Amino acid sequence: MKDLYTLIMAGGSGTRFWPRSKTKKPKQYLNIFGEDSLLQETIQRFATFTREENIYIVSSATQAEVLEKQTPMLPKENLIYEPIGRNTLPCIGLAAMYAERENPDGVMVVSPSDHLINNTELFKDTVLAAAKIAEERDGIVTLGITPTFPATGYGYVKTAEDITGAEKIKQFKVERFVEKPDETTATGYLKQGGFYWNSGLFVFKVSVFLKAVEEFAPALYADLRNIQADLGNPSYPETLDTIYRAVESISVDYGIMEHAQNIYLVEGNFDWNDLGSWESVYQTDKKDENGNAGAGEAMFLDTKNSYVYAEDGNVVAVVGMEDVIVVKDGNTTLVCKRENAEDIKKIVEQLKAQNKDQYL
């Protein structure tokens, strides 16, 4: 599809991946499972069916150096820098203003930069099925992941009418988006059926999305138009900085998806993991006969079900432990129970509060 555009959102801070994830090189720029970073793997995934000149990335201005180093395959003008993070709706809206200049009726796929996705061919087919709905029905489409357990870390999408017809991949109208549930509620969703995990992947015509922004977030729409009007001018960086810092921080789910009526879902059955923490890396990684996993020079003795990352030039040995995560990176070392992996971001908050930027 020549009119297909991709937006990769790469401005996150990845605090739950400290100490490897740092301010100038957060999670999406790390090579978690191979030689390439998560961002580079995401670009490669989309480049199989999107022209590279149609791939945009929105990131933080503080990450410009590492982003440009990792993306020599993309035009520099496709790298969009937010002066400050304002959540997903302003981020997507800003990129849509860029894409609109090229083709207002082009179809845009929005993707996080740090997800692990296998079954690339099935992923491609699923995205193109969503693009067809976006083009033919003027719909805003989300890719819903078939849930395999009652997860409490994801939002859910409740489907309504089945519109699959003769298509190979299941497709639905969407009834509603729901916030992250507790375990009892999530268990109920799975028993009831018709609920999918919200993957954070969206597909829409640029014109249709901007019309929704105008309807449901008019103040943001006006600000984005003022930013767009100055694109290409010497004053643009100052205009962007001034206006963008003042816009409301709001997610696309809350700002658009929970209100619009033209919302659809395409079922995603490709292997998917949002890699939200070191625990999710452990769960995904290959393990030895004792359930241990890791990268670098990791040594295990009388240890089970643990994960170790050792930076090049370091050896990390774990003795007599079970269910732990150990990460050695530069001047920082993390040791925690796997069950507490979500709390790592609290350490980052403490370091920020104590102005210990040398560890961030």
Side-chain angles (χ1 to χ4, degrees):
M1 184 182 287
K2 67 177 182 178
D3 294 329
L4 190 65
Y5 295 79
T6 292
L7 163 62
I8 300 172
M9 298 182 291
S13 57
T15 54
R16 287 176 292 182
F17 273 77
W18 185 88
R20 282 200 71 194
S21 182
K22 302 285 176 60
T23 302
K24 291 186 177 180
K25 193 176 181 180
K27 176 180 68 168
Q28 58 270 27
Y29 301 101
L30 303 178
N31 56 332
I32 302 293
F33 291 112
E35 294 297 318
D36 294 322
S37 71
L38 294 173
L39 171 63
Q40 290 170 323
E41 290 175 353
T42 302
I43 293 170
Q44 291 162 14
R45 189 180 308 127
F46 282 103
T48 61
F49 58 94
T50 307
R51 294 185 299 179
E52 289 180 345
E53 59 265 32
N54 286 358
I55 297 177
Y56 290 85
I57 298 178
V58 175
S59 185
S60 165
T62 61
Q63 299 167 18
E65 183 178 350
V66 65
L67 175 59
E68 291 183 15
K69 185 177 180 180
Q70 291 199 4
T71 58
M73 73 294 287
L74 301 182
K76 275 197 173 182
E77 57 268 26
N78 287 18
L79 308 181
I80 305 168
Y81 296 107
E82 297 175 295
I84 190 171
R86 281 291 180 251
N87 215 318
T88 52
L89 182 54
C91 167
I92 298 169
L94 182 63
M97 291 292 176
Y98 275 73
E100 186 187 42
R101 297 181 309 163
E102 298 290 329
N103 185 353
D105 285 320
V107 175
M108 177 173 274
V109 185
V110 176
S111 171
S113 59
D114 52 5
H115 289 182
L116 180 67
I117 294 174
N118 295 317
N119 309 105
T120 303
E121 277 301 311
L122 179 56
F123 175 75
K124 172 184 174 180
D125 292 344
T126 306
V127 171
L128 293 180
K132 185 178 179 182
I133 295 175
E135 196 163 47
E136 295 180 354
R137 294 178 178 251
D138 282 347
I140 300 176
V141 190
T142 183
L143 273 58
I145 305 299
T146 303
T148 53
F149 66 97
T152 57
Y154 305 138
Y156 285 70
V157 185
K158 176 69 170 69
T159 55
E161 177 192 357
D162 187 326
I163 60 165
T164 305
E167 300 293 336
K168 294 181 180 179
I169 297 173
K170 287 187 178 180
Q171 306 170 10
F172 303 89
K173 281 280 290 178
V174 166
E175 179 180 311
R176 59 192 169 99
F177 278 65
V178 293
E179 301 296 327
K180 296 175 182 178
D182 57 32
E183 189 168 355
T184 301
T185 304
T187 300
Y189 290 164
L190 266 65
K191 288 181 179 177
Q192 183 180 340
F195 282 88
Y196 291 82
W197 289 338
N198 180 0
S199 69
L201 287 145
F202 303 101
V203 186
F204 48 74
K205 275 186 189 175
V206 172
S207 57
V208 170
F209 181 77
L210 289 176
K211 184 177 179 181
V213 176
E214 183 178 21
E215 180 177 358
F216 300 111
L220 173 63
Y221 180 81
D223 286 335
L224 291 172
R225 284 297 182 200
N226 288 332
I227 291 171
Q228 185 191 45
D230 213 20
L231 267 172
N233 295 329
S235 57
Y236 173 74
E238 183 180 351
T239 299
L240 173 64
D241 189 80
T242 301
I243 296 177
Y244 204 81
R245 287 181 182 276
V247 303
E248 181 185 4
S249 178
I250 185 171
S251 72
V252 67
D253 293 351
Y254 185 78
I256 300 296
M257 308 302 283
E258 293 183 7
H259 306 289
Q261 298 300 307
N262 58 330
I263 308 297
Y264 297 84
L265 179 143
V266 172
E267 184 177 84
N269 286 318
F270 43 85
D271 291 338
W272 174 87
N273 193 310
D274 76 340
L275 294 179
S277 67
W278 284 116
E279 170 64 12
S280 60
V281 172
Y282 169 79
Q283 293 290 348
T284 306
D285 211 349
K286 294 180 180 178
K287 302 171 184 65
D288 65 17
E289 65 275 11
N290 293 310
N292 298 315
E297 290 291 334
M299 298 180 65
F300 301 96
L301 179 63
D302 296 331
T303 294
K304 295 180 179 180
N305 305 323
S306 296
Y307 178 87
V308 167
Y309 171 82
E311 185 185 36
D312 287 348
N314 291 274
V315 174
V316 174
V318 181
V319 181
M321 305 292 285
E322 192 167 344
D323 298 319
V324 297
I325 292 168
V326 182
V327 179
K328 172 72 173 73
D329 186 85
N331 61 354
T332 47
T333 303
L334 164 75
V335 181
C336 78
K337 295 287 287 183
R338 281 177 40 213
E339 65 187 28
N340 298 117
E342 293 288 329
D343 295 330
I344 294 170
K345 60 185 177 182
K346 296 178 183 178
I347 294 295
V348 175
E349 292 167 3
Q350 286 186 31
L351 291 170
K352 286 180 180 178
Q354 296 169 14
N355 295 318
K356 294 184 177 180
D357 294 343
Q358 68 270 34
Y359 306 120
L360 298 170

